[in-house]
Amino acid sequence: AIAHYRHWDSDIEADVSYEAERLQDRVPELVVAKSLGTLIAASAFALYSFRPKAAVLIGVPLCNFNPQQRQLLRHLSDQVPTLFVQQSADPGASYFELQSLVRDFGHAEAAQVSGDDHAYANISELVAAIDPWWNRVNSKGQAKHQQTSHG
């Protein structure tokens, strides 16, 4: 399901807390979030029992995140397998800047895609970055589930 943010269709300012609360108690297999949505997903995890089994965070605008918000990203990826996908020269944070932050997060991996516009319009490049990670993470989850179910 796609979370449709209210600020997409109105003049209302984006409200991270409001959008994060709307995700309360959901347990998706995978959350894919871009830009401000990365902060919404991390906030929902920390504050509203949003429990994805895995996360893909695309185009994290670190230049707009304060230290507390950066900690929310850590909190999520310390507990949930998380792939950070960042353009090599994204204006919100380059791949190098993002990778420097997340390399010590518990279950985080970072993937670089080309670009410098924060648009992430090259879908085939995104798929090439996400698919191998998802297949690896998803197979671990299935193996764990089979051990629990049969053992």
Side-chain angles (χ1 to χ4, degrees):
I2 295 176
H4 192 92
Y5 303 138
R6 71 178 176 175
H7 66 271
W8 287 350
D9 298 324
S10 69
D11 293 333
I12 296 173
E13 192 73 26
D15 184 339
V16 171
S17 295
Y18 172 83
E19 299 297 350
E21 188 172 5
R22 291 178 56 215
L23 298 174
Q24 185 166 346
D25 298 323
R26 293 190 188 178
V27 186
E29 282 296 310
L30 175 67
V31 61
V32 179
K34 180 188 175 279
S35 196
L36 184 62
T38 64
L39 180 57
I40 292 168
S43 297
F45 183 84
L47 304 172
Y48 298 107
S49 300
F50 177 60
R51 293 295 179 261
K53 298 205 175 18
V56 175
L57 304 182
I58 302 170
V60 179
L62 286 179
C63 68
N64 298 324
F65 286 17
N66 65 38
Q68 277 183 307
Q69 293 166 327
R70 291 173 184 224
Q71 276 302 115
L72 292 172
L73 294 174
R74 176 186 286 277
H75 182 68
L76 171 66
S77 62
D78 276 351
Q79 298 183 48
V80 174
T82 304
L83 177 65
F84 291 86
V85 180
Q86 199 77 3
Q87 288 178 331
S88 52
D90 187 307
S94 70
Y95 168 78
F96 177 75
E97 291 168 308
L98 181 85
Q99 197 271 341
S100 295
L101 176 71
V102 307
R103 69 175 160 229
D104 296 326
F105 291 5
H107 298 288
E109 292 182 42
Q112 181 175 205
V113 295
S114 61
D116 61 2
D117 59 5
H118 195 67
Y120 295 84
N122 188 334
I123 301 302
S124 61
E125 194 173 16
L126 289 172
V127 169
I130 296 168
D131 259 2
W133 172 85
W134 174 244
N135 290 334
R136 193 171 61 255
V137 167
N138 198 31
S139 68
K140 286 179 186 173
Q142 288 176 355
K144 189 180 210 179
H145 176 73
Q146 287 174 349
Q147 283 180 339
T148 305
S149 300
H150 302 296

